[in-house]
């Protein structure tokens, strides 16, 4: 398909040039219209041997590719300018042994160096492990990943585009801790009581590409945290190679891209149906014309994208739940305050047939069940949330599975009682199966069911080389495709024979019960509680 793309671009340029020459020669502004691969075009351009033979497989591949590139996004989306994504591609991957958060392979600095960063809408700063000595994780193998995956560390002195941000700079949000206006701006960001990143601020280049047939390179100056000291989970199993903040502050990556007129002030993330699969990210994406939408509210540092839930139904029956919650991709699981937590989980538990396991202090999930020995799927009641404006979302996969100490299969509801957070959080486990749009211009949160790459023609396209070729770093983080294998599962179908209500509609329209096929590799997520 790479050859097909090149042929299409070449022919488009040549056909346009040929038409312009004919206009100038005749003094009239008119065109004879011919098909791109017609005999007339091939004869005049001398390209008989360079274009696919009419009717051949390659012929139709080029035409289909051209249609998808030019028309696929424009017919269904709200975009009025080309979105951009990371130089290494728009794929993201949920890594179960790294807290089941979504990670992207990003390139920073000159020459470009790759980093595997967590994507977090609940924080603002983009930071990388930097000059951090023994506190840095240099290989995923060191934290329990069963294969060697080397990680880069950011070194400002080796990047020709790196520059420090001084305390006198308006970008210095930690200026209260400055010793003088000329000193380098410090930062300290706590993510929990024990997990903190501390360092200094600087500016460097983030390498991006346009999401169109050209894949044009784009270099964006971003505020970057040089994380000299990481504590807590940053040293064990969460975001060990950095975090890319997607929040609303003016120093977050989406804010900086919009301010520089590189993209619209919006971005989207797509989440696979089950934990451990690929997703995607796109900056400047305003979503689709037929997506569900609700206003989001930004009222403080802990509620970057806050939404009002006006109603919840479980198994088709409404329950007395309404709440304000934070939509947070940096949280693996969903956290609810009382009384919403108790009301929702009680209604859910009453419709689950499998035996509930006793609650034990060392396991924070209170609703875990033993799967029947002969069962091959998990049956659960549909949960539907309704937001301000009437927008609804079905929770596609609220469970995760694990094995007990004796080898039996168990599954747990991925909803936790919010105690330390003091706020309701809708984590990315409840965004599974949706493409979520954070439209910061209209202050709208939108979503639409998606398989992330089912309608995208650029997903498998390799990125172009950077504008300035640089030698490969001695230690390079791999692209998501080479990370630990993901868990695959098909979308959960409905079993109308065992419905827990009268409805037998599909997941997109509501209903009662769903089946999750058990993956061959069961997720071991009990100790991995993301908090971001």
């Amino acid at each position: 398909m790479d050859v097909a793309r090149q042929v299409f671009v070449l022919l488009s340029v040549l056909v346009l040039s040929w038409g312009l020459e004919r206009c100038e020669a005749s003094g009239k502004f008119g065109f004879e219209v011919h098909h791109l691969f017609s005999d007339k075009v091939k004869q005049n351009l001398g390209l008989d041997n360079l274009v696919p033979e009419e009717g051949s497989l390659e012929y139709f591949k080029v035409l289909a590719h051209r249609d998808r590139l030019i028309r696929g996004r424009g017919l269904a989306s709200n975009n009025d300018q080309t979105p951009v994504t990371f130089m290494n591609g728009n794929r993201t991957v949920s890594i179960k042994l790294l807290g089941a958060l979504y990670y992207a392979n990003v390139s920073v600095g000159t020459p470009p160096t790759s980093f595997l960063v967590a994507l977090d809408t609940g924080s603002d700063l983009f930071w990388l492990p930097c000059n951090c000595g023994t506190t840095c994780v240099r290989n995923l193998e060191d934290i329990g990943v069963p294969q060697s995956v080397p990680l880069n560390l950011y070194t400002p002195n080796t990047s020709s585009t790196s520059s420090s941000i001084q305390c006198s700079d308006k970008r210095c949000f930690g200026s209260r801790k400055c010793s003088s206006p000329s000193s380098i701006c410090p930062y300290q960001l706590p993510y929990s009581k024990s997990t903190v990143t501390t360092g200094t601020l600087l500016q460097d280049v983030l390498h991006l590409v346009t999401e169109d047939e050209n894949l044009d390179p784009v270099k964006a100056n971003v505020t970057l945290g040089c994380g000299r000291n990481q504590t807590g989970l940053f040293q064990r199993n969460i975001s060990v190679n950095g975090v890319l903040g997607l929040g609303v502050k003016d120093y977050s990556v989406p804010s900086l891209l919009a301010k520089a007129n590189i993209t619209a002030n919006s971005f989207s993330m797509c989440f696979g149906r089950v934990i451990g699969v690929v997703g995607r990210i796109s900056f400047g994406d305003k979503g689709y014309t037929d997506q569900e939408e609700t206003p989001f509210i930004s009222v403080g540092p802990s509620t970057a994208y806050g939404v009002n839930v006006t109603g919840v139904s479980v198994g088709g029956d409404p329950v007395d739940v309404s709440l304000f919650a934070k939509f947070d991709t940096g949280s693996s699981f969903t956290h609810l305050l009382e009384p919403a937590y108790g009301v929702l989980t009680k209604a859910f538990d009453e419709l689950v047939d499998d035996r509930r396991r006793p609650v034990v202090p060392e396991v924070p999930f209170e609703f875990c069940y033993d799967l029947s020995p002969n069962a091959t799927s998990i049956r659960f009641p549909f949960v539907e949330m309704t937001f301000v404006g009437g927008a609804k979302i079905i929770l596609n996969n609220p469970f995760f599975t694990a094995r007990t100490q004796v080898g039996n299969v168990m599954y747990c509801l991925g909803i936790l009682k919010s105690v330390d957070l003091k706020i309701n959080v809708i984590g990315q486990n409840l965004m599974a199966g949706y493409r979520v749009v954070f439209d910061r211009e209209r202050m709208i949160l939108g979503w639409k069911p998606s398989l992330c790459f089912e309608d995208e023609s650029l997903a498998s396209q390799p990125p172009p080389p950077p504008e300035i070729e640089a030698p490969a770093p001695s230690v390079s983080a791999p692209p998501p495709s080479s990370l630990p294998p993901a868990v695959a599962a098909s979308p959960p179908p409905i079993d109308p024979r065992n419905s827990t209500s009268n409805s037998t509609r599909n997941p997109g329209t509501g209903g009662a019960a769903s089946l999750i096929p058990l993956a061959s590799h069961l997720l071991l997520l009990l100790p991995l509680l993301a908090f971001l």
Side-chain angles (χ1 to χ4, degrees):
M1 189 60 72
D2 206 28
V3 174
R5 179 171 64 87
Q6 294 174 5
V7 170
F8 165 67
V9 174
L10 172 63
L11 288 176
S12 299
V13 173
L14 291 176
V15 170
L16 178 60
S17 301
W18 174 49
L20 290 175
E21 289 177 0
R22 290 175 60 85
C23 285
E24 291 179 359
S26 63
K28 298 178 181 179
F29 293 93
F31 288 92
E32 294 180 18
V33 178
H34 299 280
H35 191 275
L36 183 64
F37 297 151
S38 67
D39 291 338
K40 184 77 171 179
V41 172
K42 290 191 286 186
Q43 289 172 6
N44 280 274
L45 296 180
L47 297 174
D48 288 341
N49 298 323
L50 296 180
V51 300
E53 179 183 355
E54 184 174 357
S56 67
L57 176 61
E58 191 64 26
Y59 174 89
F60 290 109
K61 284 171 63 179
V62 172
L63 292 183
H65 184 64
R66 179 260 186 201
D67 287 344
R68 289 196 299 267
L69 288 176
I70 294 180
R71 301 295 295 166
R73 181 181 296 273
L75 287 174
S77 74
N78 295 321
N79 296 320
D80 51 8
Q81 64 184 103
T82 304
V84 300
T85 192
F86 301 120
M87 184 182 77
N88 295 317
N90 58 10
R91 285 182 181 268
T92 62
V93 63
S94 172
I95 306 175
K96 55 188 177 181
L97 293 180
L98 296 182
L101 300 180
Y102 275 83
Y103 292 82
N105 188 18
V106 305
S107 293
V108 176
T110 307
T113 304
S114 296
F115 301 91
L116 185 67
V117 298
L119 303 172
D120 183 14
T121 60
S123 62
D124 299 283
L125 182 65
F126 176 19
W127 65 265
L128 298 170
C130 165
N131 298 335
C132 42
T134 58
T135 65
C136 288
V137 176
R138 290 172 166 80
N139 195 308
L140 292 184
E141 192 176 36
D142 298 335
I143 59 171
V145 174
Q147 68 184 73
S148 177
V149 182
L151 299 173
N152 280 320
L153 304 180
Y154 180 73
T155 306
N157 293 339
T158 63
S159 174
S160 62
T161 48
S162 173
S163 60
S164 297
I165 293 177
Q166 295 184 335
C167 286
S168 57
D169 196 303
K170 63 181 180 180
R171 292 173 294 178
C172 180
F173 58 84
S175 57
R176 292 182 179 179
K177 297 183 179 180
C178 289
S179 57
S180 69
S182 61
S183 60
I184 299 177
C185 179
Y187 80 85
Q188 181 175 8
L189 293 178
Y191 288 78
S192 71
K193 292 180 180 178
S194 61
T195 301
V196 180
T197 175
T198 305
T200 57
L201 293 184
L202 48 84
Q203 175 183 290
D204 210 335
V205 170
L206 174 64
H207 295 272
L208 308 166
V209 292
T210 58
E211 284 195 292
D212 57 15
E213 70 272 19
N214 297 320
L215 296 175
D216 294 324
V218 177
K219 294 193 293 186
N221 291 321
V222 294
T223 299
L224 185 65
C226 172
R228 298 178 181 274
N229 185 36
Q230 279 66 246
T231 63
L233 292 181
F234 289 150
Q235 291 182 300
R236 298 201 297 271
N237 52 22
I238 300 290
S239 310
V240 295
N241 204 218
V243 171
L244 193 141
L246 297 168
V248 298
K249 294 291 184 66
D250 57 5
Y251 52 85
S252 72
V253 169
S255 299
L256 294 171
L257 295 180
K259 186 177 180 180
N261 294 320
I262 293 174
T263 67
N265 194 10
S266 181
F267 68 94
S268 69
M269 289 185 66
C270 191
F271 304 88
R273 275 213 176 238
V274 294
I275 295 175
V277 298
V278 296
R280 61 167 294 166
I281 184 169
S282 178
F283 296 99
D285 183 7
K286 294 184 178 180
Y288 295 95
T289 56
D290 57 346
Q291 67 187 6
E292 298 273 3
E293 294 182 346
T294 189
F296 72 74
I297 304 167
S298 178
V299 295
S302 63
T303 54
Y305 301 98
V307 294
N308 281 305
V309 178
T310 59
V312 176
S313 66
V314 179
D317 296 324
V319 295
D320 186 19
V321 172
S322 60
L323 52 90
F324 177 80
K326 170 185 171 184
F327 243 71
D328 187 7
T329 66
S331 181
S332 303
F333 302 106
T334 294
H335 304 251
L336 297 180
L337 294 164
E338 293 285 13
Y341 172 80
V343 172
L344 192 154
T345 53
K346 180 177 183 295
F348 195 94
D349 181 60
E350 290 175 349
L351 297 178
V352 177
D353 294 332
D354 290 315
R355 184 179 68 88
R356 183 180 170 189
R357 296 177 60 84
V359 178
V360 292
E362 60 269 23
V363 178
F365 300 96
E366 296 184 322
F367 292 86
C368 295
Y369 306 87
D370 286 318
L371 190 67
S372 301
N374 298 324
T376 58
S377 58
I378 299 172
R379 176 177 173 272
F380 66 94
F382 282 131
V383 177
E384 182 180 66
M385 288 186 174
T386 303
F387 300 84
V388 167
K392 299 178 184 294
I393 189 170
I394 294 280
L395 309 187
N396 289 312
N397 188 4
F399 285 113
F400 67 91
T401 60
R403 283 203 181 272
T404 65
Q405 292 181 343
V406 296
N408 297 327
V409 177
M410 62 179 286
Y411 61 95
C412 297
L413 180 63
I415 298 178
L416 295 163
K417 183 186 297 185
S418 184
V419 179
D420 294 334
L421 295 180
K422 306 299 183 183
I423 188 173
N424 297 300
V425 175
I426 297 176
Q428 53 93 356
N429 67 320
L430 298 194
M431 306 177 202
Y434 290 94
R435 187 173 182 176
V436 181
V437 177
F438 299 81
D439 190 336
R440 296 138 55 94
E441 291 182 358
R442 297 190 298 144
M443 299 289 284
I444 290 293
L445 194 71
W447 59 88
K448 185 177 181 180
S450 176
L451 297 178
C452 298
F453 289 102
E454 82 282 10
D455 60 351
E456 299 295 334
S457 59
L458 297 178
S460 61
Q461 293 289 338
E467 292 184 69
I468 300 176
E469 287 289 346
S474 58
V475 180
S476 178
S481 59
S482 63
L483 290 171
V487 177
S490 57
I494 291 175
D495 182 4
R497 297 167 297 174
N498 296 313
S499 174
T500 53
S501 79
N502 295 327
S503 174
T504 59
R505 293 173 292 171
N506 63 42
T509 59
S514 176
L515 301 176
I516 299 180
L518 291 179
S520 58
H521 298 83
L522 296 173
L523 307 183
L524 302 178
L525 292 178
L526 292 180
L528 300 180
L529 299 180
F531 49 85
L532 303 179

